[in-house]
């Protein structure tokens, strides 16, 4: 079983919808949680970076971490066609001195 | 503001040939990583480095070697390419307390 599980989708929503992307993990030692967005044939780019439990908001994006349930989420409000991409969750131990563990990604399509 | 630069962007190799993928970062990051991305398998860590002159094995190191002689550069070598190494290769760098900055990738086909 993988340390980080992510629903691969694909997920298709109409423009303006609220999108919820989720990951579960098994290693309770993870402290740092990230979301990356990857457009087709491009490298992943960092969207959100959070430490420990709680919520973090950045514009239309909200990252939520529930360490008690080993569950993280990314919410996208007022989704746009430009949000169509693959979203990867990632998590790491105490620092980046080592490596992050990535989910396999969820592919999202936002239809106009 | 280049970030992470990978060369080449595309390459076709014949089985048994060797090549080196180059990664350069201009953000003074301590940590650098090489990943491969394959359909249905996500990002898999090949090798990584926590500082100049240091390297460590990741999840799938077999068939690859790396070197980090300078802080800004991380080289990935394939000594004898195999069709199983057909993939998209991403280099990334980071500081200790933030996420990764990825390069744009190298698409490698081994025939």
């Amino acid at each position: 079983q993988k340390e980080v599980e992510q629903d691969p989708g694909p997920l298709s929503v109409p423009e303006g919808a609220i999108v919820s992307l989720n990951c579960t993990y098994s290693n309770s030692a993870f402290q740092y949680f990230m979301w990356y967005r990857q457009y087709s044939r491009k490298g992943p780019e960092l969207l959100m970076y959070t430490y420990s439990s709680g919520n973090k908001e950045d514009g239309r994006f909200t990252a939520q971490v529930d360490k008690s349930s080993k569950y993280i989420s990314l919410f996208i409000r007022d989704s746009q066609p430009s949000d169509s991409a693959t979203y990867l969750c990632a998590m790491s131990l105490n620092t980046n001195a080592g490596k992050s563990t990535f989910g396999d990604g969820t592919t999202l399509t936002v239809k106009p | 503001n280049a970030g992470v630069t990978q060369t080449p962007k595309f390459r076709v190799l014949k089985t048994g040939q060797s090549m080196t993928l180059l990664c350069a970062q201009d953000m003074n990051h301590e940590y650098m990583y090489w990943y491969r991305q394959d359909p249905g398998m996500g990002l898999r860590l090949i090798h990584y480095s926590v500082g100049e002159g240091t390297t460590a094995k990741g999840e799938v190191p077999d068939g690859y070697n790396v070197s980090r002689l300078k802080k800004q550069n991380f080289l990935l070598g394939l000594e004898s390419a195999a069709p199983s190494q057909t993939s998209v290769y991403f280099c990334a760098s980071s500081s200790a307390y933030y996420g990764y900055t990825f390069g744009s990738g190298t698409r490698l086909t081994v025939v």
Side-chain angles (χ1 to χ4, degrees):
Chain A
Q1 188 176 359
K2 292 183 178 181
E3 265 191 311
V4 178
E5 298 279 358
Q6 186 173 7
D7 184 350
L11 185 61
S12 180
V13 302
E15 183 175 354
I18 296 174
V19 177
S20 173
L21 304 167
N22 311 296
C23 287
T24 59
Y25 62 94
S26 58
N27 188 348
S28 59
F30 285 136
Q31 297 283 350
Y32 293 83
F33 303 91
M34 284 77 59
W35 286 95
Y36 292 83
R37 177 175 62 196
Q38 185 176 21
Y39 291 116
S40 179
R41 305 180 75 84
K42 301 288 187 183
E45 57 178 326
L46 182 67
L47 265 183
M48 301 288 280
Y49 180 82
T50 56
Y51 170 70
S52 195
S53 285
N55 291 0
K56 183 176 182 179
E57 188 174 319
D58 184 1
R60 297 184 295 110
F61 298 89
T62 299
Q64 195 171 79
V65 175
D66 182 350
K67 290 190 69 181
S68 63
S69 301
K70 300 192 185 70
Y71 189 88
I72 70 171
S73 299
L74 178 71
F75 298 96
I76 307 174
R77 293 184 298 279
D78 187 24
S79 56
Q80 303 294 311
S82 59
D83 296 327
S84 298
T86 297
Y87 290 81
L88 304 162
C89 65
M91 41 203 80
S92 61
L93 301 177
N94 49 1
T95 70
N96 274 335
K99 54 194 183 298
S100 289
T101 301
F102 285 81
D104 288 350
T106 299
T107 300
L108 170 68
T109 300
V110 180
K111 296 185 175 180
Chain B
N1 188 13
V4 176
T5 303
Q6 289 184 236
T7 54
K9 296 190 183 307
F10 304 93
R11 185 73 185 269
V12 178
L13 280 181
K14 293 183 178 178
T15 298
Q17 285 185 321
S18 63
M19 77 165 294
T20 300
L21 281 67
L22 310 179
C23 178
Q25 54 99 359
D26 62 1
M27 297 167 286
N28 201 35
H29 285 164
E30 286 295 327
Y31 310 114
M32 296 188 75
Y33 316 84
W34 276 106
Y35 284 87
R36 61 178 290 174
Q37 188 174 43
D38 303 289
M41 304 192 78
L43 283 164
R44 292 184 291 169
L45 183 65
I46 304 171
H47 286 281
Y48 63 101
S49 168
V50 299
E52 181 179 316
T54 71
T55 63
K57 293 181 180 180
E59 183 184 354
V60 288
D62 293 342
Y64 305 95
N65 57 76
V66 288
S67 65
R68 188 145 178 227
L69 300 179
K70 294 183 178 181
K71 185 178 184 179
Q72 63 267 35
N73 297 333
F74 196 29
L75 279 59
L76 178 71
L78 286 73
E79 291 185 345
S80 180
S84 61
Q85 293 178 305
T86 293
S87 187
V88 181
Y89 292 85
F90 287 104
C91 176
S93 70
S94 74
S95 60
Y97 293 101
Y98 203 57
Y100 295 0
T101 300
F102 281 88
S104 57
T106 296
R107 294 184 174 273
L108 176 66
T109 301
V110 182
V111 297

